[in-house]
Amino acid sequence: MVPVQPRITVRFPRLTRRLALRAAGLSLGGAFAAWLGYVVLGPNRHEVIPGRVYRCSQPGHDLLIRTVDRFGIRTVINLRGFSPEYDWYKSEARATADRNVNQEDVTFSANRLPPPAELRRLIDILDRTAYPILIHCKQGADRTGLVSAMTLLLFTDATPTRARQELWPIRGHFRFGRTAAMDDFFDRYETWLTGRNESHTRDRFREWATTYYSPGPDVADLKFLDPIPDVVPANKPIILQVRATNRSSEAWELKPGSTAGIHLGYSVWFPDEPVPRYAGKAGLFRRTVSPGESVDLDVVVPALKSPGTYLLKIEMFDYRGAGVDARAMAFVQFGAEPLLAGLRVK
């Protein structure tokens, strides 16, 4: 007689909705912890163009040495600017010197659109430097994401949509607050393409970035309409007329308020003094100056009592905000040159 085998019942836990949500939460929590550890707290290192372009957050001396050795890096592009007063910069300079690789210092901000002159200089560096390159800023998220996307548009057949993935949260960048300026840069490029009814190509992006790009309305040419007098009499004010030409792709809005709109600011300095003897504003009236148009403004220099040679500095400002929150952004921050002149008082 064949013995009867006992029936073994295996009970599996019932996959309840609560259990499923808990499992999903644990999975997402683990993924977030991994992202946080690598992107926010770690090196945030990624390959942009295989074998040619890499990106990361600010590396210390030893990590930079290891990265250079591992990927054969020949140029390090630092987007935090020439900063020899800081320990991070000294450490980086020692590492690049130890490995005999190029170090290029480019001054970009994570909170503002790149200055046109510095953008052109960066493109020249990318064209001429030795590869592979390593791009970094502080967190390796915002400025680094912008420049990484640029390399894809300049040197590969990537679409703008693909290039902008370098500015995704998975790389540490979020489009809100001031860092949204990084996304605005590419919005401006795509708007330019749409206005010309054209599609992206490498050459079109290069043309736009080096010729047509402007960071809003903050680009101007300034010139005196009449020659500066050889000698300015003491105790007598003078009036100088300055023509400001809008070289941007957007209109200027001049306003009568002193903390809103675009104004011309000027100051008078005496040698070796830390503050100006006088500072004033012009353009305190309501007017729209379209791209390519000019406006003539009166610079009233008050009576200067002490004889000597003074420096007159004139530049455009964009006042953003109102009241105590107003922020005056000098056009020079975006690549526009101030107007300088000497005043000899007798």
Side-chain angles (χ1 to χ4, degrees):
M1 183 176 182
V2 179
V4 177
Q5 299 293 329
R7 178 179 295 177
I8 300 175
T9 303
V10 179
R11 296 185 179 275
F12 293 96
R14 185 179 179 186
L15 187 60
T16 64
R17 182 177 181 183
R18 179 180 297 178
L19 184 60
L21 290 174
R22 183 178 299 175
L26 290 173
S27 178
L28 289 174
F32 175 76
W35 173 85
L36 183 69
Y38 189 79
V39 172
V40 179
L41 304 177
N44 199 11
R45 188 177 65 227
H46 307 277
E47 187 177 60
V48 181
I49 301 177
R52 289 186 59 80
V53 179
Y54 300 86
R55 58 179 290 180
C56 68
S57 59
Q58 176 65 57
H61 177 277
D62 292 346
L63 179 57
L64 182 53
I65 289 286
R66 293 196 299 271
T67 303
V68 167
D69 290 347
R70 178 179 175 183
F71 298 101
I73 301 298
R74 300 303 306 146
T75 301
V76 175
I77 298 180
N78 156 44
L79 301 176
R80 303 177 72 184
F82 177 66
S83 307
E85 68 274 22
Y86 294 107
D87 289 340
W88 67 262
Y89 185 88
K90 296 174 185 176
S91 175
E92 179 167 324
R94 285 195 299 268
T96 53
D98 287 346
R99 285 301 186 264
N100 192 31
V101 301
N102 303 321
Q103 179 175 328
E104 299 285 357
D105 302 321
V106 177
T107 305
F108 275 14
S109 168
N111 301 325
R112 295 195 299 269
L113 287 160
E118 198 71 349
L119 178 65
R120 290 191 293 269
R121 191 173 78 86
L122 170 66
I123 292 174
D124 186 63
I125 290 170
L126 293 171
D127 285 341
R128 299 174 183 273
T129 198
Y131 284 75
I133 65 173
L134 177 68
I135 304 164
H136 81 82
C137 54
K138 185 177 181 181
Q139 292 298 130
D142 305 310
R143 290 168 285 186
T144 299
L146 181 142
V147 176
S148 296
M150 281 181 53
T151 64
L152 288 169
L153 296 179
L154 285 167
F155 304 115
T156 76
D157 293 328
T159 64
T161 299
R162 162 61 189 95
R164 294 178 74 148
Q165 292 176 13
E166 297 298 322
L167 284 167
W168 277 9
I170 198 170
R171 298 287 191 260
H173 171 78
F174 294 87
R175 184 172 185 164
F176 63 82
R178 294 187 182 181
T179 58
M182 305 295 97
D183 305 273
D184 185 27
F185 176 80
F186 297 104
D187 289 345
R188 289 168 183 265
Y189 172 54
E190 295 191 44
T191 298
W192 179 79
L193 287 175
T194 300
R196 293 164 61 106
N197 196 27
E198 294 179 342
S199 300
H200 162 74
T201 66
R202 301 185 197 185
D203 289 341
R204 287 197 184 109
F205 178 73
R206 180 180 294 273
E207 178 187 16
W208 173 79
T210 57
T211 305
Y212 292 97
Y213 161 73
S214 67
D218 302 333
V219 183
D221 279 344
L222 302 175
K223 70 175 183 178
F224 291 108
L225 291 183
D226 298 304
I228 301 294
D230 293 334
V231 177
V232 176
N235 299 306
K236 184 178 179 180
I238 63 170
I239 298 177
L240 302 171
Q241 237 187 4
V242 172
R243 175 164 293 168
T245 302
N246 183 353
R247 295 301 185 196
S248 77
S249 59
E250 298 181 22
W252 293 347
E253 295 295 337
L254 277 62
K255 297 181 180 180
S258 61
T259 58
I262 288 175
H263 300 157
L264 183 141
Y266 56 96
S267 53
V268 180
W269 301 74
F270 197 70
D272 302 324
E273 290 185 351
V275 294
R277 289 287 182 96
Y278 178 79
K281 297 176 182 177
L284 299 179
F285 51 84
R286 194 172 299 279
R287 178 169 170 181
T288 298
V289 183
S290 300
E293 290 186 343
S294 301
V295 58
D296 295 341
L297 303 169
D298 290 335
V299 173
V300 181
V301 180
L304 300 171
K305 299 178 180 180
S306 303
T309 300
Y310 295 78
L311 173 67
L312 174 63
K313 182 179 181 182
I314 301 172
E315 58 186 325
M316 300 296 290
F317 288 87
D318 187 351
Y319 286 79
R320 307 176 183 188
V324 296
D325 295 325
R327 293 189 299 120
M329 307 293 287
F331 277 30
V332 69
Q333 294 173 280
F334 301 96
E337 294 296 327
L339 191 59
L340 303 175
L343 296 177
R344 190 158 64 95
V345 177
K346 291 185 66 176

